[in-house]
Amino acid sequence: MNPKKLVRPLVHGLHAYTPGEQPKIKGLIKLNTNENPYPPARPVLAAVRAAVDGRLRLYPNPTAEALRARLAELHGVGPEQVIIGNGSDELLALAVRAFVEPVTPGISASRSRVQYFNPSYSLYPVLADIHGASRNPVPLRPDFGLPTVKELRQSGWDFQAALTFVTTPNAPSGRGYATADLDALCARQKGITVLDEAYVDFAAENALALTHKHPHVLIARTFSKAYSLCFQRVGYLVGHPELITALDKIRDSYNVNGLGQVAALATLGQLPYYRANFARIIATRQWLGGQLAGLGFAVLPSATNFMLVQPPGPAAKTWLKELRARKILVRWFSQPEVSAYLRITIGTQAEAQTLVRAARQILRKK
Ligand code: PMP
């Protein structure tokens, strides 16, 4: 018997999400997965260490109660408006399962549509495919700005789509969007609209208030990037209690591991430390942008902890290899909209300086 035959045909046909590389090369400068270059605050590490004892045999709190209560307080909402996930990725997947019908004859096309801008977070199409839903990618403007309503209509945008994901600020472009523009878009959308604010702490404004105004809008946040906690896998959604209840019904009972809950809760007690880190990262982003522009790179404005740059001289893919040969890892995407660019995570100031030196060498400007 061939076990392969026992796998659903839909699963056979899937292309899994490709995460950024996590190589274990000594001395590598890792600017490819938008991790924070600064460690968690000391009290966060201490809280995690203190929790590593005989309690590991027990299940964690099933609803991450203390963390939800603290986040609710922070955002001025009720705890019934917050759900915690094993990273925000888990919650994006739950949203597809809770709000989108798999493509089924007799069901309107909009009910099975997962809609998103192109380019944006490359997980969304994978989630649609896993669920047997249909994808509706719609191009952003050439400068990665939001299209006008007229442009949206012309490019097949569906205002009735069951689920729309908006990465804001956008990834991989780094471009931030004005809350007023997101508000106008949300006001027209009839289906669930998830504003994926994974990088919002590095931006000038956030759109959390839109969850109060629009009952169909959910905000996705994560502790991974701004709060230096990728390893612990903690993210959350804020929105209308009815939507949160629906998501709560379909999640695993103990979806957020205990040490993750401890770490995230301790993080919320150290916000000034993290805010100082945002400021450092933003300062490095400005410095690096200026330096690379001086070397002839086209540098796109960024409201995130990474930036998209179009290198001069060799093709972007060649730059990827040249930088790697100098032990600097950045990200290159093969999709045509962004294949001329490199996405560079903002590291420490020292890492940025090393990157600029390497770029000079590659351009033989040293
Ligand atoms: N949204 C966006 C736009 C992201 O880039 C990422 C990280 N790859 C996530 C969500 C998920 O982050 P996490 O699961 O670590 O919370």
Side-chain angles (χ1 to χ4, degrees), residues 17 34 86-90 92 121 124 167 171 196 198-199 221-225 230 233-235:
Y17 173 74
N34 300 339
N86 181 35
S88 54
D89 276 350
E90 183 198 17
L92 304 178
Y121 186 26
Y124 311 142
T167 318
D196 182 348
Y199 300 100
R221 295 273 180 95
T222 177
F223 281 86
S224 293
K225 319 291 175 168
C230 288
R233 312 297 302 124
V234 186

mmCIF file with all atom_site columns, all heavy atoms in Angstrom, residues 17 34 86-90 92 121 124 167 171 196 198-199 221-225 230 233-235, ligand 1:
data_model
loop_
_atom_site.group_PDB
_atom_site.id
_atom_site.type_symbol
_atom_site.label_atom_id
_atom_site.label_alt_id
_atom_site.label_comp_id
_atom_site.label_asym_id
_atom_site.label_entity_id
_atom_site.label_seq_id
_atom_site.pdbx_PDB_ins_code
_atom_site.Cartn_x
_atom_site.Cartn_y
_atom_site.Cartn_z
_atom_site.occupancy
_atom_site.B_iso_or_equiv
_atom_site.pdbx_formal_charge
_atom_site.auth_seq_id
_atom_site.auth_comp_id
_atom_site.auth_asym_id
_atom_site.auth_atom_id
_atom_site.pdbx_PDB_model_num
ATOM   1   N N   . TYR A 1 17  ? 4.271  27.270 3.010  1.00 0.00 ? 17  TYR A N   1
ATOM   2   C CA  . TYR A 1 17  ? 4.888  28.580 3.235  1.00 0.00 ? 17  TYR A CA  1
ATOM   3   C C   . TYR A 1 17  ? 6.396  28.385 3.413  1.00 0.00 ? 17  TYR A C   1
ATOM   4   O O   . TYR A 1 17  ? 6.834  27.437 4.062  1.00 0.00 ? 17  TYR A O   1
ATOM   5   C CB  . TYR A 1 17  ? 4.276  29.204 4.500  1.00 0.00 ? 17  TYR A CB  1
ATOM   6   C CG  . TYR A 1 17  ? 4.937  30.485 4.932  1.00 0.00 ? 17  TYR A CG  1
ATOM   7   C CD1 . TYR A 1 17  ? 4.714  31.669 4.235  1.00 0.00 ? 17  TYR A CD1 1
ATOM   8   C CD2 . TYR A 1 17  ? 5.790  30.520 6.034  1.00 0.00 ? 17  TYR A CD2 1
ATOM   9   C CE1 . TYR A 1 17  ? 5.326  32.850 4.629  1.00 0.00 ? 17  TYR A CE1 1
ATOM   10  C CE2 . TYR A 1 17  ? 6.409  31.700 6.432  1.00 0.00 ? 17  TYR A CE2 1
ATOM   11  C CZ  . TYR A 1 17  ? 6.169  32.857 5.728  1.00 0.00 ? 17  TYR A CZ  1
ATOM   12  O OH  . TYR A 1 17  ? 6.778  34.019 6.112  1.00 0.00 ? 17  TYR A OH  1
ATOM   13  N N   . ASN A 1 34  ? 13.322 39.626 9.909  1.00 0.00 ? 34  ASN A N   1
ATOM   14  C CA  . ASN A 1 34  ? 12.696 40.717 10.670 1.00 0.00 ? 34  ASN A CA  1
ATOM   15  C C   . ASN A 1 34  ? 12.637 40.466 12.171 1.00 0.00 ? 34  ASN A C   1
ATOM   16  O O   . ASN A 1 34  ? 11.713 40.922 12.854 1.00 0.00 ? 34  ASN A O   1
ATOM   17  C CB  . ASN A 1 34  ? 11.284 41.021 10.126 1.00 0.00 ? 34  ASN A CB  1
ATOM   18  C CG  . ASN A 1 34  ? 11.336 41.428 8.671  1.00 0.00 ? 34  ASN A CG  1
ATOM   19  O OD1 . ASN A 1 34  ? 12.392 41.846 8.194  1.00 0.00 ? 34  ASN A OD1 1
ATOM   20  N ND2 . ASN A 1 34  ? 10.225 41.313 7.975  1.00 0.00 ? 34  ASN A ND2 1
ATOM   21  N N   . ASN A 1 86  ? -0.749 31.014 19.180 1.00 0.00 ? 86  ASN A N   1
ATOM   22  C CA  . ASN A 1 86  ? 0.614  30.509 19.088 1.00 0.00 ? 86  ASN A CA  1
ATOM   23  C C   . ASN A 1 86  ? 1.308  31.270 17.946 1.00 0.00 ? 86  ASN A C   1
ATOM   24  O O   . ASN A 1 86  ? 1.468  30.771 16.839 1.00 0.00 ? 86  ASN A O   1
ATOM   25  C CB  . ASN A 1 86  ? 0.556  29.002 18.821 1.00 0.00 ? 86  ASN A CB  1
ATOM   26  C CG  . ASN A 1 86  ? 1.923  28.371 18.725 1.00 0.00 ? 86  ASN A CG  1
ATOM   27  O OD1 . ASN A 1 86  ? 2.847  28.776 19.412 1.00 0.00 ? 86  ASN A OD1 1
ATOM   28  N ND2 . ASN A 1 86  ? 2.058  27.400 17.853 1.00 0.00 ? 86  ASN A ND2 1
ATOM   29  N N   . GLY A 1 87  ? 1.628  32.532 18.233 1.00 0.00 ? 87  GLY A N   1
ATOM   30  C CA  . GLY A 1 87  ? 2.042  33.457 17.175 1.00 0.00 ? 87  GLY A CA  1
ATOM   31  C C   . GLY A 1 87  ? 0.794  33.982 16.491 1.00 0.00 ? 87  GLY A C   1
ATOM   32  O O   . GLY A 1 87  ? -0.278 33.361 16.576 1.00 0.00 ? 87  GLY A O   1
ATOM   33  N N   . SER A 1 88  ? 0.900  35.128 15.830 1.00 0.00 ? 88  SER A N   1
ATOM   34  C CA  . SER A 1 88  ? -0.295 35.629 15.134 1.00 0.00 ? 88  SER A CA  1
ATOM   35  C C   . SER A 1 88  ? -0.609 34.751 13.922 1.00 0.00 ? 88  SER A C   1
ATOM   36  O O   . SER A 1 88  ? -1.751 34.678 13.476 1.00 0.00 ? 88  SER A O   1
ATOM   37  C CB  . SER A 1 88  ? -0.163 37.108 14.753 1.00 0.00 ? 88  SER A CB  1
ATOM   38  O OG  . SER A 1 88  ? 1.000  37.337 14.016 1.00 0.00 ? 88  SER A OG  1
ATOM   39  N N   . ASP A 1 89  ? 0.389  34.019 13.417 1.00 0.00 ? 89  ASP A N   1
ATOM   40  C CA  . ASP A 1 89  ? 0.148  33.086 12.306 1.00 0.00 ? 89  ASP A CA  1
ATOM   41  C C   . ASP A 1 89  ? -1.008 32.132 12.622 1.00 0.00 ? 89  ASP A C   1
ATOM   42  O O   . ASP A 1 89  ? -1.853 31.862 11.775 1.00 0.00 ? 89  ASP A O   1
ATOM   43  C CB  . ASP A 1 89  ? 1.399  32.239 12.031 1.00 0.00 ? 89  ASP A CB  1
ATOM   44  C CG  . ASP A 1 89  ? 2.409  32.940 11.135 1.00 0.00 ? 89  ASP A CG  1
ATOM   45  O OD1 . ASP A 1 89  ? 2.068  33.999 10.569 1.00 0.00 ? 89  ASP A OD1 1
ATOM   46  O OD2 . ASP A 1 89  ? 3.529  32.426 11.003 1.00 0.00 ? 89  ASP A OD2 1
ATOM   47  N N   . GLU A 1 90  ? -1.031 31.603 13.845 1.00 0.00 ? 90  GLU A N   1
ATOM   48  C CA  . GLU A 1 90  ? -2.105 30.665 14.195 1.00 0.00 ? 90  GLU A CA  1
ATOM   49  C C   . GLU A 1 90  ? -3.465 31.354 14.081 1.00 0.00 ? 90  GLU A C   1
ATOM   50  O O   . GLU A 1 90  ? -4.434 30.764 13.599 1.00 0.00 ? 90  GLU A O   1
ATOM   51  C CB  . GLU A 1 90  ? -1.931 30.127 15.626 1.00 0.00 ? 90  GLU A CB  1
ATOM   52  C CG  . GLU A 1 90  ? -3.012 29.101 15.950 1.00 0.00 ? 90  GLU A CG  1
ATOM   53  C CD  . GLU A 1 90  ? -3.238 28.811 17.427 1.00 0.00 ? 90  GLU A CD  1
ATOM   54  O OE1 . GLU A 1 90  ? -2.806 29.595 18.288 1.00 0.00 ? 90  GLU A OE1 1
ATOM   55  O OE2 . GLU A 1 90  ? -3.881 27.791 17.701 1.00 0.00 ? 90  GLU A OE2 1
ATOM   56  N N   . LEU A 1 92  ? -4.299 33.935 12.217 1.00 0.00 ? 92  LEU A N   1
ATOM   57  C CA  . LEU A 1 92  ? -4.652 34.204 10.809 1.00 0.00 ? 92  LEU A CA  1
ATOM   58  C C   . LEU A 1 92  ? -5.268 32.937 10.213 1.00 0.00 ? 92  LEU A C   1
ATOM   59  O O   . LEU A 1 92  ? -6.269 32.986 9.487  1.00 0.00 ? 92  LEU A O   1
ATOM   60  C CB  . LEU A 1 92  ? -3.424 34.638 10.001 1.00 0.00 ? 92  LEU A CB  1
ATOM   61  C CG  . LEU A 1 92  ? -2.655 35.858 10.535 1.00 0.00 ? 92  LEU A CG  1
ATOM   62  C CD1 . LEU A 1 92  ? -1.425 36.148 9.678  1.00 0.00 ? 92  LEU A CD1 1
ATOM   63  C CD2 . LEU A 1 92  ? -3.539 37.100 10.599 1.00 0.00 ? 92  LEU A CD2 1
ATOM   64  N N   . TYR A 1 121 ? 1.831  39.785 2.932  1.00 0.00 ? 121 TYR A N   1
ATOM   65  C CA  . TYR A 1 121 ? 2.385  38.630 3.654  1.00 0.00 ? 121 TYR A CA  1
ATOM   66  C C   . TYR A 1 121 ? 2.081  37.340 2.883  1.00 0.00 ? 121 TYR A C   1
ATOM   67  O O   . TYR A 1 121 ? 0.918  37.021 2.638  1.00 0.00 ? 121 TYR A O   1
ATOM   68  C CB  . TYR A 1 121 ? 1.786  38.604 5.052  1.00 0.00 ? 121 TYR A CB  1
ATOM   69  C CG  . TYR A 1 121 ? 2.348  37.556 5.989  1.00 0.00 ? 121 TYR A CG  1
ATOM   70  C CD1 . TYR A 1 121 ? 3.629  37.048 5.837  1.00 0.00 ? 121 TYR A CD1 1
ATOM   71  C CD2 . TYR A 1 121 ? 1.585  37.114 7.056  1.00 0.00 ? 121 TYR A CD2 1
ATOM   72  C CE1 . TYR A 1 121 ? 4.128  36.109 6.715  1.00 0.00 ? 121 TYR A CE1 1
ATOM   73  C CE2 . TYR A 1 121 ? 2.083  36.176 7.952  1.00 0.00 ? 121 TYR A CE2 1
ATOM   74  C CZ  . TYR A 1 121 ? 3.352  35.675 7.769  1.00 0.00 ? 121 TYR A CZ  1
ATOM   75  O OH  . TYR A 1 121 ? 3.848  34.741 8.636  1.00 0.00 ? 121 TYR A OH  1
ATOM   76  N N   . TYR A 1 124 ? -0.818 34.374 3.458  1.00 0.00 ? 124 TYR A N   1
ATOM   77  C CA  . TYR A 1 124 ? -2.275 34.397 3.200  1.00 0.00 ? 124 TYR A CA  1
ATOM   78  C C   . TYR A 1 124 ? -2.706 33.420 2.094  1.00 0.00 ? 124 TYR A C   1
ATOM   79  O O   . TYR A 1 124 ? -3.667 32.677 2.293  1.00 0.00 ? 124 TYR A O   1
ATOM   80  C CB  . TYR A 1 124 ? -2.793 35.807 2.871  1.00 0.00 ? 124 TYR A CB  1
ATOM   81  C CG  . TYR A 1 124 ? -2.373 36.915 3.822  1.00 0.00 ? 124 TYR A CG  1
ATOM   82  C CD1 . TYR A 1 124 ? -2.051 38.186 3.341  1.00 0.00 ? 124 TYR A CD1 1
ATOM   83  C CD2 . TYR A 1 124 ? -2.306 36.707 5.202  1.00 0.00 ? 124 TYR A CD2 1
ATOM   84  C CE1 . TYR A 1 124 ? -1.678 39.219 4.202  1.00 0.00 ? 124 TYR A CE1 1
ATOM   85  C CE2 . TYR A 1 124 ? -1.915 37.739 6.061  1.00 0.00 ? 124 TYR A CE2 1
ATOM   86  C CZ  . TYR A 1 124 ? -1.601 38.991 5.549  1.00 0.00 ? 124 TYR A CZ  1
ATOM   87  O OH  . TYR A 1 124 ? -1.214 40.002 6.393  1.00 0.00 ? 124 TYR A OH  1
ATOM   88  N N   . THR A 1 167 ? -1.996 43.839 5.275  1.00 0.00 ? 167 THR A N   1
ATOM   89  C CA  . THR A 1 167 ? -0.765 43.945 6.066  1.00 0.00 ? 167 THR A CA  1
ATOM   90  C C   . THR A 1 167 ? -0.439 45.427 6.196  1.00 0.00 ? 167 THR A C   1
ATOM   91  O O   . THR A 1 167 ? -0.146 46.094 5.194  1.00 0.00 ? 167 THR A O   1
ATOM   92  C CB  . THR A 1 167 ? 0.411  43.237 5.355  1.00 0.00 ? 167 THR A CB  1
ATOM   93  O OG1 . THR A 1 167 ? -0.043 42.005 4.810  1.00 0.00 ? 167 THR A OG1 1
ATOM   94  C CG2 . THR A 1 167 ? 1.555  42.990 6.298  1.00 0.00 ? 167 THR A CG2 1
ATOM   95  N N   . ALA A 1 171 ? 4.166  44.435 4.403  1.00 0.00 ? 171 ALA A N   1
ATOM   96  C CA  . ALA A 1 171 ? 5.381  43.634 4.222  1.00 0.00 ? 171 ALA A CA  1
ATOM   97  C C   . ALA A 1 171 ? 5.208  42.983 2.856  1.00 0.00 ? 171 ALA A C   1
ATOM   98  O O   . ALA A 1 171 ? 4.087  42.553 2.555  1.00 0.00 ? 171 ALA A O   1
ATOM   99  C CB  . ALA A 1 171 ? 5.493  42.574 5.305  1.00 0.00 ? 171 ALA A CB  1
ATOM   100 N N   . ASP A 1 196 ? -3.468 43.339 9.686  1.00 0.00 ? 196 ASP A N   1
ATOM   101 C CA  . ASP A 1 196 ? -2.334 42.610 10.242 1.00 0.00 ? 196 ASP A CA  1
ATOM   102 C C   . ASP A 1 196 ? -1.240 43.617 10.593 1.00 0.00 ? 196 ASP A C   1
ATOM   103 O O   . ASP A 1 196 ? -0.475 44.053 9.731  1.00 0.00 ? 196 ASP A O   1
ATOM   104 C CB  . ASP A 1 196 ? -1.866 41.579 9.191  1.00 0.00 ? 196 ASP A CB  1
ATOM   105 C CG  . ASP A 1 196 ? -0.708 40.730 9.672  1.00 0.00 ? 196 ASP A CG  1
ATOM   106 O OD1 . ASP A 1 196 ? -0.094 41.057 10.707 1.00 0.00 ? 196 ASP A OD1 1
ATOM   107 O OD2 . ASP A 1 196 ? -0.403 39.726 8.988  1.00 0.00 ? 196 ASP A OD2 1
ATOM   108 N N   . ALA A 1 198 ? 1.514  43.399 12.390 1.00 0.00 ? 198 ALA A N   1
ATOM   109 C CA  . ALA A 1 198 ? 2.697  42.747 12.963 1.00 0.00 ? 198 ALA A CA  1
ATOM   110 C C   . ALA A 1 198 ? 3.844  43.736 13.213 1.00 0.00 ? 198 ALA A C   1
ATOM   111 O O   . ALA A 1 198 ? 4.627  43.562 14.138 1.00 0.00 ? 198 ALA A O   1
ATOM   112 C CB  . ALA A 1 198 ? 3.162  41.613 12.047 1.00 0.00 ? 198 ALA A CB  1
ATOM   113 N N   . TYR A 1 199 ? 3.939  44.774 12.382 1.00 0.00 ? 199 TYR A N   1
ATOM   114 C CA  . TYR A 1 199 ? 5.094  45.693 12.452 1.00 0.00 ? 199 TYR A CA  1
ATOM   115 C C   . TYR A 1 199 ? 4.714  47.088 12.940 1.00 0.00 ? 199 TYR A C   1
ATOM   116 O O   . TYR A 1 199 ? 5.486  48.027 12.798 1.00 0.00 ? 199 TYR A O   1
ATOM   117 C CB  . TYR A 1 199 ? 5.752  45.784 11.063 1.00 0.00 ? 199 TYR A CB  1
ATOM   118 C CG  . TYR A 1 199 ? 6.236  44.445 10.580 1.00 0.00 ? 199 TYR A CG  1
ATOM   119 C CD1 . TYR A 1 199 ? 5.509  43.689 9.669  1.00 0.00 ? 199 TYR A CD1 1
ATOM   120 C CD2 . TYR A 1 199 ? 7.422  43.905 11.076 1.00 0.00 ? 199 TYR A CD2 1
ATOM   121 C CE1 . TYR A 1 199 ? 5.945  42.440 9.246  1.00 0.00 ? 199 TYR A CE1 1
ATOM   122 C CE2 . TYR A 1 199 ? 7.870  42.660 10.664 1.00 0.00 ? 199 TYR A CE2 1
ATOM   123 C CZ  . TYR A 1 199 ? 7.128  41.941 9.752  1.00 0.00 ? 199 TYR A CZ  1
ATOM   124 O OH  . TYR A 1 199 ? 7.574  40.705 9.352  1.00 0.00 ? 199 TYR A OH  1
ATOM   125 N N   . ARG A 1 221 ? -1.881 41.408 16.112 1.00 0.00 ? 221 ARG A N   1
ATOM   126 C CA  . ARG A 1 221 ? -0.598 41.888 16.654 1.00 0.00 ? 221 ARG A CA  1
ATOM   127 C C   . ARG A 1 221 ? 0.257  40.695 17.071 1.00 0.00 ? 221 ARG A C   1
ATOM   128 O O   . ARG A 1 221 ? -0.264 39.605 17.290 1.00 0.00 ? 221 ARG A O   1
ATOM   129 C CB  . ARG A 1 221 ? -0.836 42.760 17.903 1.00 0.00 ? 221 ARG A CB  1
ATOM   130 C CG  . ARG A 1 221 ? -1.595 44.053 17.642 1.00 0.00 ? 221 ARG A CG  1
ATOM   131 C CD  . ARG A 1 221 ? -0.659 45.159 17.240 1.00 0.00 ? 221 ARG A CD  1
ATOM   132 N NE  . ARG A 1 221 ? -1.377 46.394 16.993 1.00 0.00 ? 221 ARG A NE  1
ATOM   133 C CZ  . ARG A 1 221 ? -1.558 47.364 17.896 1.00 0.00 ? 221 ARG A CZ  1
ATOM   134 N NH1 . ARG A 1 221 ? -1.071 47.232 19.118 1.00 0.00 ? 221 ARG A NH1 1
ATOM   135 N NH2 . ARG A 1 221 ? -2.205 48.450 17.580 1.00 0.00 ? 221 ARG A NH2 1
ATOM   136 N N   . THR A 1 222 ? 1.525  40.947 17.240 1.00 0.00 ? 222 THR A N   1
ATOM   137 C CA  . THR A 1 222 ? 2.430  39.872 17.656 1.00 0.00 ? 222 THR A CA  1
ATOM   138 C C   . THR A 1 222 ? 3.496  40.387 18.623 1.00 0.00 ? 222 THR A C   1
ATOM   139 O O   . THR A 1 222 ? 3.878  41.563 18.549 1.00 0.00 ? 222 THR A O   1
ATOM   140 C CB  . THR A 1 222 ? 3.109  39.216 16.437 1.00 0.00 ? 222 THR A CB  1
ATOM   141 O OG1 . THR A 1 222 ? 4.026  38.237 16.901 1.00 0.00 ? 222 THR A OG1 1
ATOM   142 C CG2 . THR A 1 222 ? 3.859  40.218 15.566 1.00 0.00 ? 222 THR A CG2 1
ATOM   143 N N   . PHE A 1 223 ? 3.951  39.499 19.489 1.00 0.00 ? 223 PHE A N   1
ATOM   144 C CA  . PHE A 1 223 ? 5.082  39.818 20.362 1.00 0.00 ? 223 PHE A CA  1
ATOM   145 C C   . PHE A 1 223 ? 6.408  39.515 19.661 1.00 0.00 ? 223 PHE A C   1
ATOM   146 O O   . PHE A 1 223 ? 7.471  39.764 20.201 1.00 0.00 ? 223 PHE A O   1
ATOM   147 C CB  . PHE A 1 223 ? 4.997  38.990 21.662 1.00 0.00 ? 223 PHE A CB  1
ATOM   148 C CG  . PHE A 1 223 ? 4.014  39.551 22.654 1.00 0.00 ? 223 PHE A CG  1
ATOM   149 C CD1 . PHE A 1 223 ? 2.677  39.225 22.587 1.00 0.00 ? 223 PHE A CD1 1
ATOM   150 C CD2 . PHE A 1 223 ? 4.428  40.444 23.634 1.00 0.00 ? 223 PHE A CD2 1
ATOM   151 C CE1 . PHE A 1 223 ? 1.756  39.740 23.489 1.00 0.00 ? 223 PHE A CE1 1
ATOM   152 C CE2 . PHE A 1 223 ? 3.520  40.975 24.545 1.00 0.00 ? 223 PHE A CE2 1
ATOM   153 C CZ  . PHE A 1 223 ? 2.186  40.623 24.478 1.00 0.00 ? 223 PHE A CZ  1
ATOM   154 N N   . SER A 1 224 ? 6.325  38.916 18.456 1.00 0.00 ? 224 SER A N   1
ATOM   155 C CA  . SER A 1 224 ? 7.551  38.433 17.818 1.00 0.00 ? 224 SER A CA  1
ATOM   156 C C   . SER A 1 224 ? 8.544  39.540 17.479 1.00 0.00 ? 224 SER A C   1
ATOM   157 O O   . SER A 1 224 ? 9.713  39.443 17.820 1.00 0.00 ? 224 SER A O   1
ATOM   158 C CB  . SER A 1 224 ? 7.204  37.689 16.526 1.00 0.00 ? 224 SER A CB  1
ATOM   159 O OG  . SER A 1 224 ? 6.508  36.504 16.813 1.00 0.00 ? 224 SER A OG  1
ATOM   160 N N   . LYS A 1 225 ? 8.059  40.551 16.776 1.00 0.00 ? 225 LYS A N   1
ATOM   161 C CA  . LYS A 1 225 ? 9.001  41.504 16.162 1.00 0.00 ? 225 LYS A CA  1
ATOM   162 C C   . LYS A 1 225 ? 9.407  42.607 17.132 1.00 0.00 ? 225 LYS A C   1
ATOM   163 O O   . LYS A 1 225 ? 10.555 42.690 17.534 1.00 0.00 ? 225 LYS A O   1
ATOM   164 C CB  . LYS A 1 225 ? 8.367  42.136 14.920 1.00 0.00 ? 225 LYS A CB  1
ATOM   165 C CG  . LYS A 1 225 ? 7.584  41.186 14.048 1.00 0.00 ? 225 LYS A CG  1
ATOM   166 C CD  . LYS A 1 225 ? 8.469  40.199 13.353 1.00 0.00 ? 225 LYS A CD  1
ATOM   167 C CE  . LYS A 1 225 ? 7.602  39.211 12.599 1.00 0.00 ? 225 LYS A CE  1
ATOM   168 N NZ  . LYS A 1 225 ? 8.334  38.395 11.677 1.00 0.00 ? 225 LYS A NZ  1
ATOM   169 N N   . CYS A 1 230 ? 10.114 36.167 19.167 1.00 0.00 ? 230 CYS A N   1
ATOM   170 C CA  . CYS A 1 230 ? 9.788  35.192 18.107 1.00 0.00 ? 230 CYS A CA  1
ATOM   171 C C   . CYS A 1 230 ? 9.764  33.763 18.646 1.00 0.00 ? 230 CYS A C   1
ATOM   172 O O   . CYS A 1 230 ? 8.880  32.971 18.325 1.00 0.00 ? 230 CYS A O   1
ATOM   173 C CB  . CYS A 1 230 ? 10.825 35.246 16.997 1.00 0.00 ? 230 CYS A CB  1
ATOM   174 S SG  . CYS A 1 230 ? 10.723 36.707 15.976 1.00 0.00 ? 230 CYS A SG  1
ATOM   175 N N   . ARG A 1 233 ? 6.518  32.467 20.430 1.00 0.00 ? 233 ARG A N   1
ATOM   176 C CA  . ARG A 1 233 ? 5.297  32.302 19.649 1.00 0.00 ? 233 ARG A CA  1
ATOM   177 C C   . ARG A 1 233 ? 4.046  32.810 20.377 1.00 0.00 ? 233 ARG A C   1
ATOM   178 O O   . ARG A 1 233 ? 3.202  32.039 20.838 1.00 0.00 ? 233 ARG A O   1
ATOM   179 C CB  . ARG A 1 233 ? 5.091  30.821 19.239 1.00 0.00 ? 233 ARG A CB  1
ATOM   180 C CG  . ARG A 1 233 ? 6.290  30.120 18.645 1.00 0.00 ? 233 ARG A CG  1
ATOM   181 C CD  . ARG A 1 233 ? 6.734  30.739 17.340 1.00 0.00 ? 233 ARG A CD  1
ATOM   182 N NE  . ARG A 1 233 ? 5.687  30.748 16.338 1.00 0.00 ? 233 ARG A NE  1
ATOM   183 C CZ  . ARG A 1 233 ? 5.267  31.860 15.715 1.00 0.00 ? 233 ARG A CZ  1
ATOM   184 N NH1 . ARG A 1 233 ? 5.801  33.047 15.975 1.00 0.00 ? 233 ARG A NH1 1
ATOM   185 N NH2 . ARG A 1 233 ? 4.315  31.798 14.825 1.00 0.00 ? 233 ARG A NH2 1
ATOM   186 N N   . VAL A 1 234 ? 3.928  34.117 20.474 1.00 0.00 ? 234 VAL A N   1
ATOM   187 C CA  . VAL A 1 234 ? 2.715  34.696 21.065 1.00 0.00 ? 234 VAL A CA  1
ATOM   188 C C   . VAL A 1 234 ? 2.218  35.850 20.191 1.00 0.00 ? 234 VAL A C   1
ATOM   189 O O   . VAL A 1 234 ? 2.963  36.795 19.907 1.00 0.00 ? 234 VAL A O   1
ATOM   190 C CB  . VAL A 1 234 ? 2.948  35.231 22.508 1.00 0.00 ? 234 VAL A CB  1
ATOM   191 C CG1 . VAL A 1 234 ? 1.611  35.693 23.120 1.00 0.00 ? 234 VAL A CG1 1
ATOM   192 C CG2 . VAL A 1 234 ? 3.581  34.174 23.403 1.00 0.00 ? 234 VAL A CG2 1
ATOM   193 N N   . GLY A 1 235 ? 0.974  35.748 19.761 1.00 0.00 ? 235 GLY A N   1
ATOM   194 C CA  . GLY A 1 235 ? 0.328  36.834 19.024 1.00 0.00 ? 235 GLY A CA  1
ATOM   195 C C   . GLY A 1 235 ? -1.097 36.971 19.520 1.00 0.00 ? 235 GLY A C   1
ATOM   196 O O   . GLY A 1 235 ? -1.554 36.154 20.326 1.00 0.00 ? 235 GLY A O   1
HETATM 197 N N1  . PMP B 2 .   ? 2.082  39.014 9.853  1.00 0.00 ? 1   PMP B N1  1
HETATM 198 C C1  . PMP B 2 .   ? 3.127  39.412 9.151  1.00 0.00 ? 1   PMP B C1  1
HETATM 199 C C2  . PMP B 2 .   ? 2.933  40.481 8.140  1.00 0.00 ? 1   PMP B C2  1
HETATM 200 C C3  . PMP B 2 .   ? 4.374  38.825 9.330  1.00 0.00 ? 1   PMP B C3  1
HETATM 201 O O1  . PMP B 2 .   ? 5.428  39.193 8.596  1.00 0.00 ? 1   PMP B O1  1
HETATM 202 C C4  . PMP B 2 .   ? 4.522  37.812 10.295 1.00 0.00 ? 1   PMP B C4  1
HETATM 203 C C5  . PMP B 2 .   ? 5.853  37.136 10.543 1.00 0.00 ? 1   PMP B C5  1
HETATM 204 N N2  . PMP B 2 .   ? 6.343  36.370 9.502  1.00 0.00 ? 1   PMP B N2  1
HETATM 205 C C6  . PMP B 2 .   ? 3.391  37.422 11.016 1.00 0.00 ? 1   PMP B C6  1
HETATM 206 C C7  . PMP B 2 .   ? 2.188  38.047 10.781 1.00 0.00 ? 1   PMP B C7  1
HETATM 207 C C8  . PMP B 2 .   ? 3.409  36.280 11.995 1.00 0.00 ? 1   PMP B C8  1
HETATM 208 O O2  . PMP B 2 .   ? 4.137  36.510 13.113 1.00 0.00 ? 1   PMP B O2  1
HETATM 209 P P1  . PMP B 2 .   ? 4.081  35.545 14.354 1.00 0.00 ? 1   PMP B P1  1
HETATM 210 O O3  . PMP B 2 .   ? 3.365  34.287 13.959 1.00 0.00 ? 1   PMP B O3  1
HETATM 211 O O4  . PMP B 2 .   ? 5.476  35.333 14.742 1.00 0.00 ? 1   PMP B O4  1
HETATM 212 O O5  . PMP B 2 .   ? 3.274  36.288 15.398 1.00 0.00 ? 1   PMP B O5  1
#
